[in-house]
Coordinates of all heavy atoms in Angstrom, one line a residue:
M3 N -52.1 67.4 -32.3 CA -51.7 68.4 -33.2 C -50.9 67.8 -34.4 O -50.4 66.6 -34.3 CB -50.7 69.3 -32.5 CG -49.4 68.8 -32.1 SD -48.4 70.0 -31.1 CE -48.6 69.3 -29.5
I4 N -50.9 68.4 -35.5 CA -50.1 67.9 -36.7 C -48.9 68.9 -36.8 O -49.0 70.0 -36.6 CB -50.9 68.2 -38.0 CG1 -52.2 67.6 -37.9 CG2 -50.0 67.6 -39.2 CD1 -52.2 66.0 -38.0
V5 N -47.6 68.3 -36.8 CA -46.4 69.0 -36.8 C -45.5 68.7 -37.9 O -45.6 67.6 -38.5 CB -45.7 68.9 -35.5 CG1 -46.4 69.4 -34.3 CG2 -45.2 67.4 -35.2
R6 N -44.6 69.6 -38.4 CA -43.6 69.3 -39.4 C -42.2 69.4 -38.8 O -41.9 70.2 -38.1 CB -43.7 70.3 -40.5 CG -42.8 70.0 -41.6 CD -42.8 71.1 -42.8 NE -44.2 71.4 -43.2 CZ -45.0 70.7 -44.1 NH1 -44.6 69.7 -44.6 NH2 -46.2 71.1 -44.4
V7 N -41.4 68.3 -39.1 CA -40.1 68.2 -38.6 C -39.2 69.3 -39.4 O -39.1 69.2 -40.6 CB -39.4 66.8 -38.7 CG1 -38.1 66.9 -38.2 CG2 -40.3 65.8 -38.0
T8 N -38.7 70.1 -38.6 CA -37.9 71.3 -39.3 C -36.4 71.2 -39.1 O -35.6 71.7 -40.0 CB -38.4 72.7 -38.9 OG1 -38.2 72.8 -37.4 CG2 -39.9 73.0 -39.2
R9 N -36.0 70.5 -38.2 CA -34.5 70.3 -37.8 C -34.2 69.1 -37.0 O -35.0 68.8 -36.1 CB -34.1 71.5 -37.2 CG -32.7 71.7 -36.9 CD -32.3 72.9 -36.3 NE -30.9 73.0 -36.0 CZ -30.1 74.1 -36.1 NH1 -30.6 75.2 -36.5 NH2 -28.8 74.0 -35.9
I10 N -33.2 68.4 -37.3 CA -32.6 67.3 -36.4 C -31.3 67.5 -36.2 O -30.5 67.6 -37.1 CB -32.8 65.9 -37.1 CG1 -34.4 65.7 -37.3 CG2 -32.3 64.8 -36.3 CD1 -34.8 64.6 -38.1
D11 N -30.9 67.8 -35.0 CA -29.5 68.0 -34.5 C -28.9 66.8 -33.7 O -29.6 66.4 -32.7 CB -29.2 69.2 -33.6 CG -29.7 70.4 -34.4 OD1 -29.2 70.6 -35.5 OD2 -30.4 71.4 -33.8
I12 N -27.8 66.2 -34.2 CA -27.2 65.1 -33.5 C -26.1 65.4 -32.7 O -25.3 66.3 -33.1 CB -26.7 64.1 -34.7 CG1 -27.8 63.5 -35.6 CG2 -26.0 62.9 -34.0 CD1 -27.4 62.8 -36.8
A13 N -26.2 65.0 -31.4 CA -25.2 65.4 -30.4 C -23.7 65.2 -31.0 O -23.5 64.0 -31.6 CB -25.4 64.8 -29.1
A14 N -22.8 66.1 -30.7 CA -21.4 65.8 -31.1 C -20.7 64.8 -30.2 O -19.8 64.1 -30.6 CB -20.8 67.1 -31.3
V15 N -21.1 64.7 -29.0 CA -20.5 63.9 -28.0 C -21.5 62.9 -27.4 O -22.6 63.3 -27.1 CB -20.0 64.8 -26.8 CG1 -19.4 63.9 -25.7 CG2 -19.0 65.8 -27.3
P16 N -21.1 61.6 -27.3 CA -22.2 60.7 -26.9 C -22.2 60.6 -25.4 O -21.4 61.1 -24.7 CB -21.6 59.3 -27.3 CG -20.1 59.6 -27.4 CD -19.9 61.0 -27.8
R17 N -23.4 60.0 -24.8 CA -23.5 59.6 -23.5 C -22.9 58.3 -23.3 O -23.1 57.4 -24.1 CB -24.9 59.6 -23.0 CG -25.6 60.9 -23.0 CD -27.0 60.7 -22.4 NE -27.8 60.1 -23.4 CZ -28.6 59.1 -23.2 NH1 -28.8 58.6 -22.1 NH2 -29.4 58.6 -24.1
I18 N -21.9 58.1 -22.5 CA -21.2 56.8 -22.3 C -21.6 56.3 -20.9 O -21.4 56.9 -19.9 CB -19.7 56.9 -22.6 CG1 -19.6 57.4 -24.1 CG2 -19.0 55.6 -22.4 CD1 -18.1 57.7 -24.4
S19 N -21.8 55.0 -20.9 CA -22.0 54.3 -19.7 C -21.0 53.0 -19.8 O -20.3 52.9 -20.8 CB -23.4 53.9 -19.4 OG -23.8 52.8 -20.2
D20 N -21.0 52.1 -18.8 CA -20.2 51.1 -18.7 C -20.7 50.0 -19.7 O -20.0 49.1 -20.2 CB -20.0 50.4 -17.4 CG -21.4 49.9 -16.7 OD1 -22.5 50.7 -17.2 OD2 -21.5 49.2 -15.8
R21 N -21.9 50.1 -20.3 CA -22.6 49.2 -21.3 C -22.7 49.8 -22.6 O -22.7 49.0 -23.5 CB -24.0 48.9 -20.7 CG -23.9 47.9 -19.4 CD -25.3 47.4 -19.2 NE -25.2 46.7 -18.0 CZ -26.3 46.2 -17.4 NH1 -27.4 46.1 -18.0 NH2 -26.2 45.5 -16.4
T22 N -23.0 51.1 -22.8 CA -23.3 51.6 -24.0 C -22.8 53.0 -24.3 O -22.6 53.7 -23.4 CB -24.9 51.7 -24.4 OG1 -25.4 52.5 -23.3 CG2 -25.4 50.3 -24.3
E23 N -22.7 53.3 -25.6 CA -22.4 54.7 -26.1 C -23.5 55.1 -26.8 O -24.1 54.3 -27.8 CB -21.3 54.5 -27.0 CG -20.8 55.8 -27.8 CD -19.7 55.7 -28.6 OE1 -20.0 55.3 -29.8 OE2 -18.6 56.1 -28.4
V24 N -24.2 56.2 -26.5 CA -25.4 56.7 -27.1 C -25.3 58.1 -27.6 O -24.8 59.0 -26.9 CB -26.7 56.8 -26.0 CG1 -27.9 57.2 -26.6 CG2 -26.8 55.2 -25.5
F25 N -25.8 58.3 -28.8 CA -25.8 59.7 -29.5 C -27.2 60.0 -29.5 O -28.0 59.3 -30.0 CB -25.2 59.6 -30.9 CG -23.8 59.7 -30.9 CD1 -23.0 58.5 -30.9 CD2 -23.1 60.8 -31.0 CE1 -21.6 58.6 -31.1 CE2 -21.6 60.9 -31.0 CZ -20.9 59.8 -31.1
D26 N -27.5 61.1 -28.8 CA -28.9 61.7 -28.9 C -29.1 62.5 -30.0 O -28.1 63.1 -30.6 CB -29.1 62.6 -27.6 CG -29.2 61.6 -26.3 OD1 -29.8 60.5 -26.4 OD2 -28.7 62.0 -25.2
E27 N -30.4 62.9 -30.3 CA -30.7 63.9 -31.3 C -31.8 64.7 -30.8 O -32.7 64.2 -29.9 CB -31.1 63.2 -32.7 CG -32.4 62.4 -32.5 CD -32.7 61.7 -33.9 OE1 -31.9 61.5 -34.8 OE2 -34.0 61.4 -34.2
T28 N -31.8 66.0 -31.1 CA -32.9 66.9 -30.8 C -33.6 67.2 -32.0 O -33.1 67.7 -33.0 CB -32.2 68.2 -30.0 OG1 -31.3 67.9 -29.1 CG2 -33.3 69.2 -29.7
V29 N -34.9 66.9 -32.0 CA -35.9 67.1 -33.1 C -36.6 68.4 -32.9 O -37.3 68.4 -31.8 CB -36.8 65.9 -33.3 CG1 -37.7 66.1 -34.3 CG2 -35.9 64.6 -33.4
T30 N -36.6 69.3 -33.8 CA -37.4 70.5 -33.7 C -38.6 70.4 -34.8 O -38.4 70.0 -35.9 CB -36.5 71.7 -34.1 OG1 -35.4 71.8 -33.2 CG2 -37.4 73.0 -33.9
V31 N -39.8 70.7 -34.2 CA -41.0 70.7 -35.0 C -41.7 71.9 -34.9 O -41.7 72.7 -33.9 CB -41.9 69.4 -34.6 CG1 -41.1 68.2 -34.8 CG2 -42.4 69.7 -33.2
E32 N -42.5 72.2 -36.0 CA -43.3 73.5 -36.0 C -44.7 73.0 -36.2 O -45.1 72.0 -36.9 CB -42.9 74.4 -37.1 CG -41.6 75.0 -36.8 CD -41.2 76.0 -37.8 OE1 -41.8 76.3 -38.8 OE2 -40.1 76.7 -37.7
L33 N -45.7 73.7 -35.5 CA -47.1 73.5 -35.6 C -47.7 73.6 -37.0 O -47.3 74.7 -37.5 CB -47.8 74.2 -34.6 CG -49.4 74.1 -34.5 CD1 -49.6 72.6 -34.0 CD2 -50.0 75.2 -33.6
V34 N -48.3 72.6 -37.5 CA -49.0 72.7 -38.8 C -50.5 72.9 -38.6 O -51.1 73.8 -39.2 CB -48.9 71.5 -39.7 CG1 -49.6 71.5 -40.9 CG2 -47.3 71.4 -40.1
Q35 N -51.1 72.1 -37.7 CA -52.5 72.3 -37.4 C -52.9 71.8 -36.0 O -52.3 70.7 -35.5 CB -53.3 71.3 -38.3 CG -54.9 71.4 -38.2 CD -55.6 70.5 -39.1 OE1 -55.0 69.8 -40.0 NE2 -56.9 70.3 -38.7
A36 N -53.4 72.7 -35.2 CA -53.9 72.2 -33.8 C -55.2 71.4 -34.0 O -56.1 71.8 -34.6 CB -54.1 73.5 -33.1
L37 N -55.2 70.3 -33.4 CA -56.4 69.4 -33.2 C -57.2 69.6 -32.0 O -58.3 69.3 -32.0 CB -56.0 67.9 -33.4 CG -55.2 67.6 -34.7 CD1 -54.7 66.2 -34.7 CD2 -56.0 67.9 -35.9
Q38 N -56.5 70.2 -30.9 CA -57.1 70.4 -29.7 C -56.3 71.4 -28.9 O -55.1 71.3 -28.9 CB -57.3 69.0 -29.0 CG -57.9 69.2 -27.6 CD -58.0 67.8 -27.0 OE1 -57.9 66.7 -27.7 NE2 -58.1 67.6 -25.7
G39 N -56.9 72.2 -28.3 CA -56.3 73.1 -27.3 C -55.5 74.2 -28.1 O -55.9 74.6 -29.4
A40 N -54.5 74.8 -27.5 CA -53.8 75.9 -28.1 C -52.3 75.5 -27.9 O -51.6 76.0 -27.1 CB -54.0 77.1 -27.5
P41 N -51.8 74.6 -28.8 CA -50.5 74.2 -28.6 C -49.5 75.3 -29.0 O -49.7 76.2 -29.7 CB -50.2 73.0 -29.5 CG -51.4 73.2 -30.5 CD -52.5 74.0 -29.8
D42 N -48.2 75.2 -28.6 CA -47.1 76.2 -28.9 C -46.8 76.1 -30.4 O -47.1 75.0 -31.0 CB -45.8 75.8 -28.1 CG -46.1 76.2 -26.6 OD1 -47.0 76.9 -26.3 OD2 -45.2 75.6 -25.9
A43 N -46.2 77.1 -30.9 CA -45.9 77.2 -32.4 C -44.7 76.2 -32.7 O -44.5 75.8 -33.8 CB -45.6 78.4 -32.7
Q44 N -43.8 75.9 -31.8 CA -42.7 75.1 -32.0 C -42.2 74.2 -30.7 O -42.6 74.6 -29.7 CB -41.4 76.0 -32.2 CG -40.2 75.3 -32.7 CD -39.1 76.3 -33.1 OE1 -38.5 76.9 -32.2 NE2 -38.7 76.4 -34.4
Y45 N -41.9 73.1 -30.9 CA -41.4 72.2 -29.8 C -40.2 71.7 -30.2 O -39.7 71.4 -31.3 CB -42.4 71.1 -29.7 CG -43.7 71.5 -29.1 CD1 -44.8 71.9 -29.9 CD2 -44.0 71.4 -27.8 CE1 -46.0 72.3 -29.4 CE2 -45.2 71.7 -27.3 CZ -46.2 72.1 -28.1 OH -47.4 72.5 -27.6
Q46 N -39.4 71.1 -29.2 CA -38.2 70.2 -29.3 C -38.3 69.0 -28.6 O -38.9 69.0 -27.5 CB -37.1 70.9 -28.8 CG -36.6 72.1 -29.8 CD -35.2 72.6 -29.5 OE1 -34.7 72.7 -28.4 NE2 -34.4 73.0 -30.5
M47 N -37.9 67.9 -29.0 CA -37.9 66.6 -28.4 C -36.5 65.9 -28.6 O -36.0 66.0 -29.6 CB -39.0 65.7 -29.2 CG -39.1 64.3 -28.7 SD -40.3 63.3 -29.5 CE -39.3 62.9 -30.8
K48 N -36.1 65.4 -27.4 CA -34.8 64.7 -27.4 C -35.1 63.1 -27.5 O -36.0 62.6 -26.7 CB -33.9 65.1 -26.3 CG -32.5 64.4 -26.4 CD -31.8 64.8 -25.1 CE -31.1 66.2 -25.4 NZ -30.2 66.6 -24.3
Q49 N -34.4 62.4 -28.4 CA -34.5 61.0 -28.5 C -33.1 60.4 -28.9 O -32.3 61.1 -29.3 CB -35.6 60.5 -29.4 CG -35.3 60.9 -31.0 CD -36.3 60.2 -31.8 OE1 -37.4 59.8 -31.3 NE2 -36.2 60.5 -33.2
V50 N -32.9 59.1 -28.8 CA -31.9 58.3 -29.1 C -31.6 58.4 -30.6 O -32.6 58.1 -31.3 CB -31.8 57.0 -28.6 CG1 -30.6 56.1 -29.1 CG2 -31.7 57.0 -27.1
H51 N -30.5 58.8 -31.1 CA -30.2 58.7 -32.5 C -29.5 57.4 -32.9 O -30.0 56.7 -33.8 CB -29.2 59.9 -33.0 CG -28.8 59.7 -34.2 ND1 -29.5 60.0 -35.5 CD2 -27.6 59.4 -34.8 CE1 -29.0 59.7 -36.5 NE2 -27.7 59.3 -36.3
S52 N -28.6 56.9 -32.1 CA -28.0 55.7 -32.3 C -27.3 55.3 -31.1 O -27.0 56.0 -30.1 CB -26.9 55.8 -33.5 OG -25.9 56.7 -33.1
R53 N -27.1 53.9 -30.9 CA -26.5 53.4 -29.7 C -25.4 52.3 -30.2 O -25.7 51.6 -31.2 CB -27.4 52.9 -28.7 CG -28.2 51.8 -29.2 CD -29.0 51.0 -28.2 NE -28.1 50.1 -27.3 CZ -27.7 48.9 -27.8 NH1 -27.9 48.5 -29.0 NH2 -26.8 48.2 -27.0
R54 N -24.5 52.0 -29.4 CA -23.5 51.0 -29.6 C -23.1 50.5 -28.3 O -22.8 51.1 -27.4 CB -22.2 51.7 -30.3 CG -21.1 50.7 -30.6 CD -20.0 51.3 -31.4 NE -19.3 52.3 -30.6 CZ -18.1 52.1 -29.8 NH1 -17.5 50.8 -30.0 NH2 -17.5 53.0 -29.2
P55 N -23.2 49.1 -28.3 CA -22.9 48.3 -27.0 C -21.4 48.4 -26.8 O -20.6 48.3 -27.7 CB -23.4 46.9 -27.3 CG -23.4 46.7 -28.9 CD -23.6 48.1 -29.3
L56 N -21.2 48.5 -25.6 CA -19.6 48.6 -25.1 C -19.2 47.3 -24.3 O -18.0 47.2 -24.0 CB -19.3 49.8 -24.4 CG -19.5 51.2 -25.0 CD1 -19.3 52.2 -24.0 CD2 -18.6 51.2 -26.3
S57 N -20.1 46.4 -24.3 CA -19.9 45.1 -23.6 C -20.7 43.9 -24.2 O -21.5 44.3 -25.1 CB -20.3 45.2 -22.1 OG -21.6 45.2 -21.9
D58 N -20.6 42.9 -23.9 CA -21.2 41.7 -24.4 C -22.6 41.3 -23.7 O -23.2 40.5 -24.0 CB -20.3 40.4 -24.4 CG -19.0 40.6 -25.3 OD1 -19.2 41.2 -26.4 OD2 -18.2 39.9 -25.1
E59 N -22.8 42.1 -22.7 CA -24.1 42.0 -21.9 C -25.2 42.3 -22.8 O -25.2 43.3 -23.5 CB -24.0 42.8 -20.6 CG -23.1 42.3 -19.6 CD -23.2 43.3 -18.4 OE1 -24.3 43.6 -18.0 OE2 -22.1 43.6 -17.8
P60 N -26.4 41.5 -22.7 CA -27.5 41.9 -23.5 C -28.2 43.2 -23.0 O -28.1 43.5 -21.8 CB -28.5 40.6 -23.3 CG -28.0 40.0 -22.1 CD -26.5 40.4 -21.9
I61 N -28.8 43.8 -24.0 CA -29.7 45.1 -23.6 C -31.1 44.6 -23.1 O -31.6 43.9 -23.9 CB -29.6 46.0 -24.8 CG1 -28.2 46.5 -25.3 CG2 -30.5 47.3 -24.5 CD1 -27.4 47.2 -24.3
R62 N -31.3 45.1 -22.0 CA -32.7 44.7 -21.5 C -33.9 45.5 -22.3 O -34.8 44.9 -22.6 CB -32.9 44.9 -20.1 CG -31.9 44.0 -19.4 CD -32.1 43.9 -17.9 NE -31.2 43.0 -17.4 CZ -30.3 43.4 -16.6 NH1 -30.0 44.7 -16.1 NH2 -29.5 42.5 -15.9
C63 N -33.6 46.7 -22.6 CA -34.7 47.5 -23.3 C -34.1 48.7 -23.9 O -33.1 49.1 -23.6 CB -35.7 48.1 -22.3 SG -35.2 49.2 -21.1
L64 N -34.7 49.2 -25.0 CA -34.2 50.3 -25.8 C -35.1 51.4 -25.6 O -36.4 51.3 -25.4 CB -34.1 49.9 -27.2 CG -33.0 48.9 -27.6 CD1 -33.2 48.5 -29.1 CD2 -31.6 49.4 -27.3
P65 N -34.5 52.7 -25.5 CA -35.4 53.9 -25.3 C -36.4 54.2 -26.5 O -36.1 53.5 -27.7 CB -34.6 55.1 -25.2 CG -33.2 54.4 -25.1 CD -33.2 52.9 -25.6
W66 N -37.5 54.7 -26.3 CA -38.4 55.1 -27.3 C -37.7 55.9 -28.4 O -36.9 56.7 -28.2 CB -39.5 55.9 -26.6 CG -40.5 56.5 -27.5 CD1 -40.6 57.6 -28.3 CD2 -41.8 55.9 -27.8 NE1 -41.7 57.8 -28.8 CE2 -42.5 56.8 -28.7 CE3 -42.4 54.7 -27.4 CZ2 -43.7 56.5 -29.2 CZ3 -43.6 54.4 -28.0 CH2 -44.3 55.3 -29.0
R67 N -38.0 55.5 -29.6 CA -37.4 56.3 -30.8 C -38.5 56.1 -32.0 O -38.9 55.1 -32.2 CB -36.1 55.6 -31.1 CG -35.5 56.3 -32.4 CD -34.1 55.7 -32.7 NE -33.3 56.5 -33.7 CZ -33.5 57.2 -34.6 NH1 -34.7 57.5 -34.7 NH2 -32.8 57.8 -35.5
V68 N -38.6 57.2 -32.6 CA -39.4 57.4 -33.8 C -38.4 57.7 -35.0 O -37.8 58.8 -34.8 CB -40.5 58.4 -33.7 CG1 -41.3 58.4 -34.9 CG2 -41.4 58.2 -32.4
E69 N -38.5 56.9 -36.0 CA -37.8 57.3 -37.3 C -38.3 58.6 -37.8 O -39.5 58.7 -38.3 CB -37.8 56.2 -38.4 CG -36.9 55.1 -38.1 CD -35.4 55.4 -38.2 OE1 -35.1 56.3 -39.0 OE2 -34.7 54.9 -37.4
L70 N -37.6 59.7 -37.9 CA -38.0 61.0 -38.4 C -37.0 61.5 -39.4 O -35.8 61.3 -39.2 CB -38.2 62.0 -37.3 CG -39.3 61.6 -36.3 CD1 -39.2 62.6 -35.0 CD2 -40.7 61.7 -36.9
N71 N -37.4 62.4 -40.4 CA -36.5 63.0 -41.3 C -37.1 64.4 -41.5 O -38.3 64.7 -41.3 CB -36.7 62.4 -42.7 CG -36.1 61.0 -42.6 OD1 -34.9 60.9 -42.3 ND2 -36.8 60.0 -43.1
V72 N -36.2 65.4 -41.8 CA -36.6 66.7 -41.9 C -37.7 66.8 -43.0 O -37.5 66.1 -44.1 CB -35.4 67.7 -42.3 CG1 -35.8 69.0 -42.6 CG2 -34.5 67.7 -41.1
G73 N -38.7 67.5 -42.8 CA -39.8 67.6 -43.7 C -41.0 66.8 -43.4 O -42.1 66.9 -44.0
D74 N -40.8 65.7 -42.6 CA -41.8 64.8 -42.2 C -43.0 65.6 -41.6 O -42.9 66.5 -40.7 CB -41.5 63.7 -41.3 CG -40.5 62.7 -42.0 OD1 -40.5 62.7 -43.1 OD2 -40.0 61.7 -41.3
V75 N -44.3 65.1 -41.9 CA -45.4 65.7 -41.2 C -46.0 64.5 -40.4 O -46.3 63.5 -40.8 CB -46.5 66.3 -42.1 CG1 -47.8 66.7 -41.5 CG2 -45.9 67.3 -43.1
V76 N -46.1 64.8 -39.0 CA -46.7 63.5 -38.2 C -47.6 64.2 -37.1 O -47.8 65.4 -36.8 CB -45.3 63.1 -37.5 CG1 -44.4 62.4 -38.4 CG2 -44.6 64.1 -36.6
V77 N -48.2 63.2 -36.5 CA -49.1 63.5 -35.3 C -48.3 63.6 -34.1 O -47.4 62.8 -33.9 CB -50.2 62.4 -35.2 CG1 -51.1 62.6 -34.0 CG2 -51.1 62.4 -36.5
A78 N -48.6 64.6 -33.2 CA -47.9 64.7 -32.0 C -48.8 65.0 -30.9 O -49.8 65.6 -31.2 CB -46.7 65.6 -32.0
Y79 N -48.3 65.0 -29.6 CA -49.1 65.4 -28.5 C -48.2 65.9 -27.4 O -47.0 65.5 -27.4 CB -50.2 64.5 -28.0 CG -49.5 63.2 -27.5 CD1 -49.2 62.9 -26.1 CD2 -49.3 62.2 -28.3 CE1 -48.7 61.8 -25.6 CE2 -48.7 60.9 -27.8 CZ -48.4 60.8 -26.6 OH -47.9 59.7 -26.0
E80 N -48.8 66.8 -26.6 CA -47.9 67.3 -25.5 C -48.3 66.6 -24.3 O -49.5 66.4 -23.9 CB -48.2 68.9 -25.3 CG -47.4 69.6 -24.3 CD -47.7 71.1 -24.3 OE1 -48.0 71.5 -25.3 OE2 -47.5 71.6 -23.2
N81 N -47.3 66.0 -23.6 CA -47.6 65.4 -22.2 C -48.0 66.4 -21.2 O -47.8 67.6 -21.4 CB -46.3 64.8 -21.7 CG -46.1 63.4 -22.4 OD1 -47.0 62.9 -22.9 ND2 -44.9 62.9 -22.3
R82 N -48.5 66.0 -20.1 CA -48.8 66.8 -19.0 C -47.8 67.7 -18.5 O -47.9 68.8 -18.0 CB -49.4 66.1 -17.8 CG -50.8 65.5 -18.1 CD -51.2 64.8 -16.8 NE -52.5 64.1 -17.2 CZ -53.1 63.3 -16.4 NH1 -52.6 62.9 -15.2 NH2 -54.2 62.7 -16.9
D83 N -46.5 67.2 -18.6 CA -45.3 68.0 -18.2 C -44.8 68.9 -19.2 O -43.8 69.5 -19.2 CB -44.2 67.1 -17.6 CG -43.6 66.1 -18.7 OD1 -44.1 66.2 -19.9 OD2 -42.7 65.4 -18.3
G84 N -45.4 69.1 -20.4 CA -45.1 69.9 -21.6 C -44.3 69.3 -22.5 O -43.8 69.9 -23.5
R85 N -43.7 68.1 -22.3 CA -42.9 67.4 -23.2 C -43.6 66.9 -24.4 O -44.8 66.6 -24.3 CB -42.1 66.1 -22.7 CG -41.1 66.5 -21.6 CD -40.4 65.3 -21.1 NE -41.2 64.4 -20.5 CZ -41.3 63.1 -20.7 NH1 -40.3 62.5 -21.4 NH2 -42.2 62.4 -20.2
L86 N -43.0 66.9 -25.6 CA -43.6 66.5 -27.0 C -43.3 65.1 -27.1 O -42.3 64.5 -26.8 CB -42.9 67.2 -28.1 CG -43.5 66.8 -29.5 CD1 -44.8 67.5 -29.7 CD2 -42.4 67.3 -30.5
M87 N -44.4 64.4 -27.5 CA -44.4 62.9 -27.7 C -44.9 62.7 -29.2 O -45.9 63.4 -29.7 CB -45.3 62.1 -26.8 CG -44.7 62.1 -25.4 SD -43.1 61.1 -25.4 CE -43.7 59.5 -25.9
I88 N -44.1 61.9 -29.9 CA -44.7 61.6 -31.3 C -44.7 60.1 -31.4 O -43.9 59.3 -31.1 CB -43.6 62.0 -32.4 CG1 -43.4 63.5 -32.3 CG2 -43.9 61.6 -33.8 CD1 -42.3 64.0 -33.2
P89 N -46.1 59.6 -31.6 CA -46.3 58.2 -31.5 C -45.7 57.5 -32.8 O -45.6 58.1 -33.8 CB -47.8 58.1 -31.5 CG -48.3 59.3 -32.1 CD -47.3 60.4 -31.8
Q90 N -45.6 56.2 -32.6 CA -45.2 55.4 -33.9 C -46.2 55.6 -34.9 O -47.4 55.6 -34.6 CB -44.9 54.0 -33.4 CG -43.7 53.8 -32.5 CD -42.3 54.0 -33.1 OE1 -42.3 54.1 -34.3 NE2 -41.3 53.9 -32.3
P91 N -46.0 55.5 -36.2 CA -47.0 55.6 -37.2 C -48.1 54.7 -37.1 O -49.2 54.9 -37.4 CB -46.2 55.3 -38.5 CG -44.8 55.7 -38.2 CD -44.6 55.3 -36.7
Y92 N -47.9 53.3 -36.7 CA -48.9 52.3 -36.4 C -49.8 52.6 -35.3 O -50.8 52.0 -35.2 CB -48.3 50.9 -36.4 CG -47.3 50.7 -35.2 CD1 -47.6 50.5 -33.8 CD2 -45.9 50.8 -35.5 CE1 -46.7 50.4 -32.9 CE2 -44.9 50.6 -34.5 CZ -45.4 50.4 -33.2 OH -44.4 50.4 -32.2
H93 N -49.5 53.6 -34.5 CA -50.4 54.1 -33.5 C -51.4 55.2 -33.8 O -52.2 55.5 -33.0 CB -49.7 54.5 -32.1 CG -49.0 53.3 -31.5 ND1 -49.3 53.1 -30.0 CD2 -48.2 52.2 -31.9 CE1 -48.5 52.1 -29.6 NE2 -48.0 51.4 -30.9
V94 N -51.2 55.8 -35.0 CA -51.9 56.8 -35.5 C -53.2 56.4 -36.1 O -53.3 55.5 -36.8 CB -51.2 57.7 -36.5 CG1 -52.0 58.9 -37.1 CG2 -49.9 58.3 -35.9
P95 N -54.4 56.8 -35.6 CA -55.8 56.4 -36.0 C -55.8 56.8 -37.6 O -55.3 57.6 -38.1 CB -56.7 57.1 -35.3 CG -56.0 57.7 -34.1 CD -54.5 57.8 -34.5
A96 N -56.8 55.9 -38.2 CA -56.9 56.0 -39.7 C -57.5 57.4 -40.1 O -57.0 58.0 -40.9 CB -57.9 54.9 -40.1
D97 N -58.3 58.1 -39.3 CA -59.0 59.3 -39.5 C -57.8 60.4 -39.5 O -57.9 61.3 -40.4 CB -60.0 59.6 -38.5 CG -59.6 59.7 -37.0 OD1 -58.8 59.0 -36.8 OD2 -60.4 60.4 -36.4
L98 N -56.8 60.2 -38.7 CA -55.7 61.2 -38.6 C -54.7 61.0 -39.7 O -54.0 62.0 -40.2 CB -55.0 61.1 -37.3 CG -55.7 61.9 -36.1 CD1 -55.0 61.7 -34.9 CD2 -56.1 63.3 -36.4
K99 N -54.7 59.8 -40.3 CA -53.7 59.4 -41.3 C -54.2 60.3 -42.6 O -53.5 60.7 -43.3 CB -53.6 58.0 -41.6 CG -52.9 57.3 -40.6 CD -52.7 55.9 -40.9 CE -52.0 55.2 -39.7 NZ -51.9 53.7 -39.9
A100 N -55.4 60.4 -42.9 CA -56.0 61.0 -43.9 C -55.7 62.7 -43.8 O -55.3 63.3 -44.8 CB -57.6 60.9 -44.0
V101 N -55.8 63.0 -42.5 CA -55.4 64.5 -42.3 C -53.9 64.7 -42.7 O -53.5 65.8 -43.3 CB -55.8 65.0 -40.9 CG1 -55.2 66.4 -40.6 CG2 -57.3 64.8 -40.6
L102 N -53.1 63.9 -42.2 CA -51.7 63.9 -42.5 C -51.4 63.9 -44.1 O -50.6 64.7 -44.4 CB -50.9 62.8 -41.9 CG -50.7 62.7 -40.4 CD1 -50.0 61.4 -39.9 CD2 -49.8 64.0 -39.9
E103 N -52.1 63.0 -44.7 CA -51.8 63.1 -46.2 C -52.2 64.4 -46.8 O -51.6 64.8 -47.8 CB -52.6 61.9 -46.7 CG -52.1 60.5 -46.4 CD -53.0 59.3 -46.9 OE1 -54.0 59.7 -47.6 OE2 -52.6 58.3 -46.5
G104 N -53.1 65.1 -46.2 CA -53.5 66.3 -46.8 C -52.5 67.4 -46.6 O -52.4 68.4 -47.4
H105 N -51.6 67.2 -45.6 CA -50.6 68.1 -45.4 C -49.2 67.8 -46.1 O -48.2 68.6 -45.9 CB -50.4 68.4 -43.9 CG -51.4 69.1 -43.2 ND1 -51.6 70.4 -43.3 CD2 -52.4 68.6 -42.4 CE1 -52.8 70.8 -42.6 NE2 -53.2 69.7 -42.1
Q106 N -49.1 66.7 -46.6 CA -47.9 66.2 -47.2 C -47.5 67.0 -48.5 O -48.3 67.4 -49.2 CB -48.0 64.6 -47.7 CG -48.2 64.0 -46.3 CD -46.9 63.5 -45.6 OE1 -45.9 63.4 -46.1 NE2 -47.1 63.0 -44.4

């Protein structure tokens, strides 16, 4: 599906562990074009907005994060459990990039 980012809300309070402080963001998107099936008109996705280490220990891995701004038109898909996933731009096939440009 092709979706447009309509809102990004950054959490007021971070998640804090003994190693990191993480601010999440909730991204709201609206359907622009269905490529397959019958997707919902609107979805929300939570991802990491920013993180700050609280110790000197190295970070082993970072959570999935896609750079998004309000107004962006991107390719997305719905997982089997209903969660929205937005792939990194370099994972979008060339034929879909042309479709995206048509909606910009």
